[in-house]
Amino acid sequence: MDLPARAQLYAFVHPVCWPWLWFQLWRLGAWIQSNKRDVLFHVDRYGNLRIDFISDAPRDPSRYTYEAPVVPAWASPGLASDMPETLAATARPARPGTVLPLRELHLISAPDMLDTS
């Protein structure tokens, strides 16, 4: 972290807590340098850092990445689907649109927890 960004944090924190804020910022900076990840955090009046969000880990360049075929899908029907053309022309949807779903899906988010990784 550069000095102008830190100055705003020190102006917010009570001067008695500046050593604690310095130590917290030093630890966070070391973690950011070692893991190569960005962190969104906030500071309270006593110099305590609370991490809100951590960015995704950097991508490993040696991992497999998908490369799209040079020929567009509409130029070769074999690329568009695994289904043979004769069967695709007579195929119907597996579930008619008039059937109502038997259950609804709801998302329940996990409670906020500290990142321990």
Side-chain angles (χ1 to χ4, degrees):
M1 233 183 230
D2 55 347
L3 190 56
R6 288 185 182 181
Q8 186 178 8
L9 295 174
Y10 282 102
F12 180 72
V13 174
H14 194 276
V16 174
C17 301
W18 283 357
W20 178 246
L21 176 63
W22 177 86
F23 179 67
Q24 294 289 317
L25 290 172
W26 177 76
R27 285 182 49 206
L28 181 63
W31 186 86
I32 290 171
Q33 289 291 334
S34 66
N35 292 317
K36 306 287 189 271
R37 297 171 81 175
D38 294 328
V39 174
L40 181 66
F41 65 94
H42 67 272
V43 179
D44 64 4
R45 298 294 253 174
Y46 301 105
N48 297 315
L49 299 182
R50 301 276 189 248
I51 296 175
D52 295 326
F53 298 102
I54 299 175
S55 68
D56 294 336
R59 295 188 59 175
D60 183 13
S62 65
R63 293 184 68 190
Y64 170 77
T65 56
Y66 172 74
E67 294 181 15
V70 180
V71 179
W74 60 84
S76 176
L79 294 175
S81 173
D82 292 338
M83 190 179 301
E85 289 182 50
T86 56
L87 183 61
T90 60
R92 291 182 293 166
R95 185 176 71 104
T98 59
V99 176
L100 296 175
L102 298 176
R103 60 179 171 259
E104 293 183 14
L105 299 176
H106 297 280
L107 175 66
I108 300 173
S109 59
D112 295 331
M113 302 181 84
L114 294 177
D115 187 313
T116 58
S117 59

